[in-house]
Amino acid sequence: MKITGITVYKVKPRWIFVKLSTDEGIDGWGEMISGTKTETVVAGAKELGEYLVGRNPFEIERLWQELYKSFFRGGPINGTIVSGLEMALWDIKGKFCKLPVYEFLGGKARDRIKVYSWVGGDRPDDVAREAIDRKNRGFDAVKMNATEELHYIDSFAKVQAVVDRVASIREACGYDFGIGVDFHGRVHKPMAKVLAHELEPYKLMFLEEVVLPENEEAFREVALHVSTPLATGERLTSRWQYKNLFQEGIIDIIQPDVAMVGGILETKKIISMAEAFDMAAAPHAPYGPIALAATLQVDVCSPNVFIQEQSLGIHYNRGFDLLDFVKNKDIFQYKDGFVEVPEKPGLGIEIDEETVKKVAAEGLRWTNPKWHNYDGTMAEW
């Protein structure tokens, strides 16, 4: 079997789908992250994708090494391109062999996968009502953004507003309900210590990205103020960037993104290494249906994954949602806060390419918000 071509689709609300075709009529699908550089990713995908034409799609490790190991390597652009292409290679291999991808990675380690739901939006509001809604739908865990704009040193009123929101969920849903709070890198070290300490009484499931990854030395300082598990990893672009986290031993939960760190096998390698350090995993997956389907393949065979992010109904999905592009919609049907292990071959997902083509024809321009503090300085989003 040989790869014969690559097709890239820019799809609203903020997704990039890639299809690899073969001379035996088997197509493989992958997904890349648009971020704020959609056209750059698309151009890079076509450039690297052409390198795969004429190659054997089954030689995934060999092709990954050749795609990743350029002289100037790494970074989110190259990371997401390689990730999307790698997913598509696994999809081809699984479909040809009539097996789900996880069967190549050790097979099932679980019977079902626990998932959580987002509440509150970018600027969190009315989180208790939304949490009750999710609980009524069977979820027993949610995640929310902690705060909106926050300066290096800011008012305690903003801290108290976060505490009040979290307290409202805890009061409404009880202590057997998981609450993840995402600082989203919006909080600088001085306020991160304050905010984490003030949230400690609410027995949270985890605190996520309490500081930006480039300030990872501050994780230790925040950890001194709380016993709440700390999570990070969504912005890291390779297994090599995880080395310090493993060696330091401060982070409790890693959150690799299959569409960023190099694809399915790389995510599996990272999560397996975390297991050796007695660390949990909760993979990052707030994007489109292909990335989520690929992530579920890793979840199935990774015993230290304790919960999975999923993006049905997330605040970014305006106009279109995951199921709009999927024929076998049962793959993302949640029951009592769990999703079943996918059984179909490859990534387990059947893409509605006609709908993809139609939406892609509308074009895509997505940028993350540009926020500013009260004095006009740029605030982290």
Side-chain angles (χ1 to χ4, degrees), residues 123-140:
R123 288 186 166 92
D125 182 50
D126 207 7
V127 290
R129 179 186 60 80
E130 291 193 41
I132 292 170
D133 171 72
R134 302 307 190 275
K135 187 174 183 178
N136 290 338
R137 286 196 257 160
F139 292 96
D140 65 0

PDB file of all heavy atoms in Angstrom, residues 123-140:
ATOM      1  N   ARG A 123     -15.473  33.653  30.196  1.00  0.00           N
ATOM      2  CA  ARG A 123     -15.595  34.471  31.393  1.00  0.00           C
ATOM      3  C   ARG A 123     -16.679  33.815  32.248  1.00  0.00           C
ATOM      4  O   ARG A 123     -17.866  34.047  32.047  1.00  0.00           O
ATOM      5  CB  ARG A 123     -15.976  35.911  31.031  1.00  0.00           C
ATOM      6  CG  ARG A 123     -14.839  36.691  30.377  1.00  0.00           C
ATOM      7  CD  ARG A 123     -15.249  38.151  30.180  1.00  0.00           C
ATOM      8  NE  ARG A 123     -14.127  39.002  29.872  1.00  0.00           N
ATOM      9  CZ  ARG A 123     -13.715  39.301  28.635  1.00  0.00           C
ATOM     10  NH1 ARG A 123     -14.371  38.788  27.604  1.00  0.00           N
ATOM     11  NH2 ARG A 123     -12.682  40.092  28.439  1.00  0.00           N
ATOM     12  N   PRO A 124     -16.273  32.965  33.176  1.00  0.00           N
ATOM     13  CA  PRO A 124     -17.226  32.070  33.842  1.00  0.00           C
ATOM     14  C   PRO A 124     -18.374  32.791  34.523  1.00  0.00           C
ATOM     15  O   PRO A 124     -18.197  33.785  35.221  1.00  0.00           O
ATOM     16  CB  PRO A 124     -16.352  31.334  34.864  1.00  0.00           C
ATOM     17  CG  PRO A 124     -15.124  32.162  35.005  1.00  0.00           C
ATOM     18  CD  PRO A 124     -14.913  32.841  33.707  1.00  0.00           C
ATOM     19  N   ASP A 125     -19.580  32.253  34.295  1.00  0.00           N
ATOM     20  CA  ASP A 125     -20.788  32.865  34.831  1.00  0.00           C
ATOM     21  C   ASP A 125     -21.859  31.788  34.985  1.00  0.00           C
ATOM     22  O   ASP A 125     -21.940  30.859  34.181  1.00  0.00           O
ATOM     23  CB  ASP A 125     -21.277  33.974  33.882  1.00  0.00           C
ATOM     24  CG  ASP A 125     -22.502  34.687  34.417  1.00  0.00           C
ATOM     25  OD1 ASP A 125     -22.487  35.103  35.583  1.00  0.00           O
ATOM     26  OD2 ASP A 125     -23.472  34.806  33.662  1.00  0.00           O
ATOM     27  N   ASP A 126     -22.665  31.915  36.015  1.00  0.00           N
ATOM     28  CA  ASP A 126     -23.810  31.023  36.237  1.00  0.00           C
ATOM     29  C   ASP A 126     -23.393  29.547  36.218  1.00  0.00           C
ATOM     30  O   ASP A 126     -24.068  28.694  35.643  1.00  0.00           O
ATOM     31  CB  ASP A 126     -24.879  31.276  35.175  1.00  0.00           C
ATOM     32  CG  ASP A 126     -26.289  30.927  35.679  1.00  0.00           C
ATOM     33  OD1 ASP A 126     -26.420  30.617  36.876  1.00  0.00           O
ATOM     34  OD2 ASP A 126     -27.221  30.947  34.877  1.00  0.00           O
ATOM     35  N   VAL A 127     -22.262  29.261  36.855  1.00  0.00           N
ATOM     36  CA  VAL A 127     -21.707  27.918  36.785  1.00  0.00           C
ATOM     37  C   VAL A 127     -22.525  26.897  37.569  1.00  0.00           C
ATOM     38  O   VAL A 127     -22.571  25.722  37.198  1.00  0.00           O
ATOM     39  CB  VAL A 127     -20.244  27.908  37.266  1.00  0.00           C
ATOM     40  CG1 VAL A 127     -19.357  28.626  36.269  1.00  0.00           C
ATOM     41  CG2 VAL A 127     -20.106  28.524  38.645  1.00  0.00           C
ATOM     42  N   ALA A 128     -23.174  27.323  38.649  1.00  0.00           N
ATOM     43  CA  ALA A 128     -23.963  26.381  39.449  1.00  0.00           C
ATOM     44  C   ALA A 128     -25.131  25.826  38.631  1.00  0.00           C
ATOM     45  O   ALA A 128     -25.394  24.613  38.646  1.00  0.00           O
ATOM     46  CB  ALA A 128     -24.469  27.045  40.724  1.00  0.00           C
ATOM     47  N   ARG A 129     -25.829  26.695  37.915  1.00  0.00           N
ATOM     48  CA  ARG A 129     -26.948  26.244  37.089  1.00  0.00           C
ATOM     49  C   ARG A 129     -26.467  25.251  36.043  1.00  0.00           C
ATOM     50  O   ARG A 129     -27.103  24.211  35.815  1.00  0.00           O
ATOM     51  CB  ARG A 129     -27.602  27.446  36.405  1.00  0.00           C
ATOM     52  CG  ARG A 129     -28.776  27.066  35.505  1.00  0.00           C
ATOM     53  CD  ARG A 129     -29.305  28.265  34.733  1.00  0.00           C
ATOM     54  NE  ARG A 129     -28.301  28.848  33.872  1.00  0.00           N
ATOM     55  CZ  ARG A 129     -27.962  28.363  32.669  1.00  0.00           C
ATOM     56  NH1 ARG A 129     -28.566  27.282  32.191  1.00  0.00           N
ATOM     57  NH2 ARG A 129     -27.038  28.951  31.950  1.00  0.00           N
ATOM     58  N   GLU A 130     -25.343  25.552  35.398  1.00  0.00           N
ATOM     59  CA  GLU A 130     -24.827  24.652  34.372  1.00  0.00           C
ATOM     60  C   GLU A 130     -24.349  23.335  34.981  1.00  0.00           C
ATOM     61  O   GLU A 130     -24.530  22.268  34.385  1.00  0.00           O
ATOM     62  CB  GLU A 130     -23.683  25.323  33.608  1.00  0.00           C
ATOM     63  CG  GLU A 130     -24.138  26.478  32.728  1.00  0.00           C
ATOM     64  CD  GLU A 130     -23.051  26.893  31.766  1.00  0.00           C
ATOM     65  OE1 GLU A 130     -22.365  26.005  31.210  1.00  0.00           O
ATOM     66  OE2 GLU A 130     -22.856  28.105  31.573  1.00  0.00           O
ATOM     67  N   ALA A 131     -23.735  23.393  36.162  1.00  0.00           N
ATOM     68  CA  ALA A 131     -23.265  22.178  36.814  1.00  0.00           C
ATOM     69  C   ALA A 131     -24.438  21.264  37.178  1.00  0.00           C
ATOM     70  O   ALA A 131     -24.362  20.043  37.020  1.00  0.00           O
ATOM     71  CB  ALA A 131     -22.450  22.521  38.050  1.00  0.00           C
ATOM     72  N   ILE A 132     -25.513  21.861  37.664  1.00  0.00           N
ATOM     73  CA  ILE A 132     -26.711  21.078  37.987  1.00  0.00           C
ATOM     74  C   ILE A 132     -27.262  20.420  36.726  1.00  0.00           C
ATOM     75  O   ILE A 132     -27.669  19.246  36.740  1.00  0.00           O
ATOM     76  CB  ILE A 132     -27.777  21.973  38.648  1.00  0.00           C
ATOM     77  CG1 ILE A 132     -27.303  22.419  40.039  1.00  0.00           C
ATOM     78  CG2 ILE A 132     -29.109  21.246  38.757  1.00  0.00           C
ATOM     79  CD1 ILE A 132     -28.169  23.487  40.660  1.00  0.00           C
ATOM     80  N   ASP A 133     -27.256  21.171  35.618  1.00  0.00           N
ATOM     81  CA  ASP A 133     -27.706  20.612  34.340  1.00  0.00           C
ATOM     82  C   ASP A 133     -26.864  19.403  33.950  1.00  0.00           C
ATOM     83  O   ASP A 133     -27.397  18.363  33.533  1.00  0.00           O
ATOM     84  CB  ASP A 133     -27.621  21.688  33.255  1.00  0.00           C
ATOM     85  CG  ASP A 133     -27.865  21.114  31.868  1.00  0.00           C
ATOM     86  OD1 ASP A 133     -29.010  20.769  31.566  1.00  0.00           O
ATOM     87  OD2 ASP A 133     -26.885  21.014  31.092  1.00  0.00           O
ATOM     88  N   ARG A 134     -25.531  19.504  34.091  1.00  0.00           N
ATOM     89  CA  ARG A 134     -24.653  18.381  33.735  1.00  0.00           C
ATOM     90  C   ARG A 134     -24.891  17.198  34.675  1.00  0.00           C
ATOM     91  O   ARG A 134     -24.896  16.044  34.230  1.00  0.00           O
ATOM     92  CB  ARG A 134     -23.183  18.799  33.796  1.00  0.00           C
ATOM     93  CG  ARG A 134     -22.794  19.967  32.922  1.00  0.00           C
ATOM     94  CD  ARG A 134     -23.193  19.811  31.459  1.00  0.00           C
ATOM     95  NE  ARG A 134     -22.582  20.844  30.648  1.00  0.00           N
ATOM     96  CZ  ARG A 134     -23.078  22.056  30.466  1.00  0.00           C
ATOM     97  NH1 ARG A 134     -24.240  22.381  31.046  1.00  0.00           N
ATOM     98  NH2 ARG A 134     -22.463  22.936  29.707  1.00  0.00           N
ATOM     99  N   LYS A 135     -25.100  17.487  35.948  1.00  0.00           N
ATOM    100  CA  LYS A 135     -25.369  16.409  36.900  1.00  0.00           C
ATOM    101  C   LYS A 135     -26.665  15.691  36.539  1.00  0.00           C
ATOM    102  O   LYS A 135     -26.744  14.452  36.606  1.00  0.00           O
ATOM    103  CB  LYS A 135     -25.438  16.965  38.323  1.00  0.00           C
ATOM    104  CG  LYS A 135     -25.535  15.888  39.390  1.00  0.00           C
ATOM    105  CD  LYS A 135     -25.443  16.481  40.787  1.00  0.00           C
ATOM    106  CE  LYS A 135     -25.461  15.368  41.842  1.00  0.00           C
ATOM    107  NZ  LYS A 135     -25.318  15.904  43.215  1.00  0.00           N
ATOM    108  N   ASN A 136     -27.669  16.450  36.131  1.00  0.00           N
ATOM    109  CA  ASN A 136     -28.942  15.852  35.730  1.00  0.00           C
ATOM    110  C   ASN A 136     -28.800  15.003  34.467  1.00  0.00           C
ATOM    111  O   ASN A 136     -29.617  14.117  34.208  1.00  0.00           O
ATOM    112  CB  ASN A 136     -29.990  16.943  35.507  1.00  0.00           C
ATOM    113  CG  ASN A 136     -30.422  17.607  36.807  1.00  0.00           C
ATOM    114  OD1 ASN A 136     -30.273  17.031  37.886  1.00  0.00           O
ATOM    115  ND2 ASN A 136     -30.944  18.824  36.713  1.00  0.00           N
ATOM    116  N   ARG A 137     -27.750  15.287  33.683  1.00  0.00           N
ATOM    117  CA  ARG A 137     -27.502  14.517  32.469  1.00  0.00           C
ATOM    118  C   ARG A 137     -26.575  13.324  32.704  1.00  0.00           C
ATOM    119  O   ARG A 137     -26.190  12.643  31.749  1.00  0.00           O
ATOM    120  CB  ARG A 137     -26.920  15.431  31.389  1.00  0.00           C
ATOM    121  CG  ARG A 137     -27.954  16.359  30.775  1.00  0.00           C
ATOM    122  CD  ARG A 137     -27.421  16.931  29.479  1.00  0.00           C
ATOM    123  NE  ARG A 137     -26.977  18.308  29.626  1.00  0.00           N
ATOM    124  CZ  ARG A 137     -26.127  18.908  28.784  1.00  0.00           C
ATOM    125  NH1 ARG A 137     -25.605  18.235  27.791  1.00  0.00           N
ATOM    126  NH2 ARG A 137     -25.781  20.161  28.975  1.00  0.00           N
ATOM    127  N   GLY A 138     -26.184  13.128  33.959  1.00  0.00           N
ATOM    128  CA  GLY A 138     -25.400  11.951  34.297  1.00  0.00           C
ATOM    129  C   GLY A 138     -23.940  12.191  34.572  1.00  0.00           C
ATOM    130  O   GLY A 138     -23.234  11.287  35.041  1.00  0.00           O
ATOM    131  N   PHE A 139     -23.430  13.393  34.271  1.00  0.00           N
ATOM    132  CA  PHE A 139     -22.027  13.687  34.570  1.00  0.00           C
ATOM    133  C   PHE A 139     -21.837  13.821  36.080  1.00  0.00           C
ATOM    134  O   PHE A 139     -22.707  14.345  36.779  1.00  0.00           O
ATOM    135  CB  PHE A 139     -21.591  14.993  33.903  1.00  0.00           C
ATOM    136  CG  PHE A 139     -21.527  14.938  32.405  1.00  0.00           C
ATOM    137  CD1 PHE A 139     -22.592  15.380  31.625  1.00  0.00           C
ATOM    138  CD2 PHE A 139     -20.406  14.446  31.755  1.00  0.00           C
ATOM    139  CE1 PHE A 139     -22.544  15.337  30.237  1.00  0.00           C
ATOM    140  CE2 PHE A 139     -20.332  14.403  30.371  1.00  0.00           C
ATOM    141  CZ  PHE A 139     -21.407  14.844  29.612  1.00  0.00           C
ATOM    142  N   ASP A 140     -20.676  13.381  36.561  1.00  0.00           N
ATOM    143  CA  ASP A 140     -20.364  13.631  37.962  1.00  0.00           C
ATOM    144  C   ASP A 140     -19.073  14.432  38.109  1.00  0.00           C
ATOM    145  O   ASP A 140     -18.433  14.428  39.156  1.00  0.00           O
ATOM    146  CB  ASP A 140     -20.294  12.331  38.772  1.00  0.00           C
ATOM    147  CG  ASP A 140     -19.149  11.425  38.350  1.00  0.00           C
ATOM    148  OD1 ASP A 140     -18.388  11.788  37.432  1.00  0.00           O
ATOM    149  OD2 ASP A 140     -19.005  10.351  38.956  1.00  0.00           O
TER     150      ASP A 140
END
